Amino acid sequence: MQRLPGILGFFLLAAALAAASASPSDAGPRNKWSVSCGADKGAITRSGNTWTFKTSSNHCVGGTFNQRAEINTRRFSATTRGTYRVQTFVSMRANPPGRFDIMQIHDGRYGCAPPLKIQVQSSGEITFDSAFKSGSGGTKNCVKNRALLKGGSPGRIRQDGTEYKLDVIFDFDGNGGFDVIVFLDDRLQISGTYSFVAGKGYREATHFRIKHGVYSKQLFQYEMRSRDLSVKRVRLAN
């Protein structure tokens, strides 16, 4: 797929979502899922095509987030080029609602936000977080990626057990960057770009993983279900 410029490209991607079709090429490691860093017993279970996530302490090294029940794909190269669609049907139940990350693109760094976090606020609004990392130190070497910090979604993910169709399209540029666009029930929500720029001292990713589940700074009680989770390489209508 030829990369589309700026916001115009995102609107064209939105118009083309319904026309997206699976490519004959396999999504490979981008569709091979396993538990990320471990989780408390019973916090992550799978029955058929449904993953269930419940409150767990964070078993990963580093960071300040205390709760994590996540799965991740196998590593794939940061020089990957192509367009991929992550699709799942999710329902979240928490009272009171919590703030959490539902999906990430991670490159293995410590101490900074990854290239992308797709967040669900306690209001249900969907937002992004993203940073560049320089050096090997902690949070003092983090530079926020302003291109992914531009407001939130018009739609909401209510935490009352309602099921939503979640589609996330990633267009990887082959140079450690990507465009991202998020749909909820086939409606465009938010979009943005992570673009690595050489020469600024930023850490250059060698690989990415896609992560999915519930990752939060604070512990809160919840149950999230994710049904028919898949990653497919897609072609989008011109």
Side-chain angles (χ1 to χ4, degrees):
M1 171 185 164
Q2 183 175 0
R3 195 168 171 81
L4 299 168
I7 194 65
L8 173 61
F10 283 122
F11 279 113
L12 291 174
L13 284 174
L17 177 63
S21 59
S23 166
S25 60
D26 185 12
R30 287 160 292 276
N31 201 30
K32 307 294 185 183
W33 298 91
S34 59
V35 176
S36 177
C37 304
D40 294 350
K41 185 176 180 179
I44 301 177
T45 57
R46 185 179 184 182
S47 177
N49 293 327
T50 300
W51 291 89
T52 300
F53 304 89
K54 297 180 181 179
T55 309
S56 173
S57 55
N58 185 1
H59 291 231
C60 288
V61 176
T64 61
F65 279 40
N66 296 310
Q67 192 287 138
R68 185 196 300 262
E70 274 189 319
I71 56 177
N72 55 221
T73 66
R74 295 180 184 172
R75 292 183 178 188
F76 57 96
S77 174
T79 60
T80 291
R81 178 184 290 273
T83 307
Y84 294 83
R85 180 181 65 198
V86 184
Q87 183 179 91
T88 186
F89 294 83
V90 294
S91 60
M92 178 68 163
R93 189 176 295 277
N95 187 17
R99 175 182 177 181
F100 66 97
D101 303 333
I102 195 170
M103 195 172 294
Q104 302 185 57
I105 294 285
H106 215 293
D107 61 358
R109 69 181 64 175
Y110 296 122
C112 296
L116 175 71
K117 294 200 295 182
I118 301 175
Q119 304 172 315
V120 178
Q121 304 296 324
S122 57
S123 65
E125 182 182 34
I126 304 169
T127 59
F128 290 141
D129 191 14
S130 174
F132 301 104
K133 181 176 175 63
S134 60
S136 58
T139 57
K140 291 183 179 180
N141 293 309
C142 305
V143 178
K144 286 293 185 182
N145 175 17
R146 300 299 174 187
L148 278 169
L149 302 177
K150 297 179 179 178
S153 65
R156 298 290 187 269
I157 295 179
R158 296 194 300 273
Q159 298 182 37
D160 59 1
T162 302
E163 185 178 79
Y164 301 90
K165 179 186 177 188
L166 177 66
D167 287 284
V168 183
I169 292 181
F170 295 108
D171 183 25
F172 294 99
D173 64 9
N175 296 306
F178 53 86
D179 291 335
V180 56
I181 182 167
V182 178
F183 298 86
L184 200 62
D185 291 336
D186 296 331
R187 295 181 179 180
L188 172 64
Q189 300 298 320
I190 52 175
S191 59
T193 299
Y194 180 85
S195 183
F196 176 78
V197 180
K200 292 191 173 183
Y202 296 150
R203 180 185 186 275
E204 184 175 4
T206 60
H207 68 272
F208 291 136
R209 293 182 192 266
I210 303 171
K211 295 191 171 190
H212 173 53
V214 182
Y215 181 39
S216 61
K217 193 173 184 68
Q218 306 299 333
L219 282 166
F220 69 103
Q221 297 301 311
Y222 67 84
E223 180 175 296
M224 188 180 85
R225 295 187 178 185
S226 179
R227 177 173 63 85
D228 296 336
L229 172 65
S230 67
V231 183
K232 294 182 179 179
R233 188 163 188 172
V234 296
R235 298 189 183 99
L236 297 173
N238 294 327

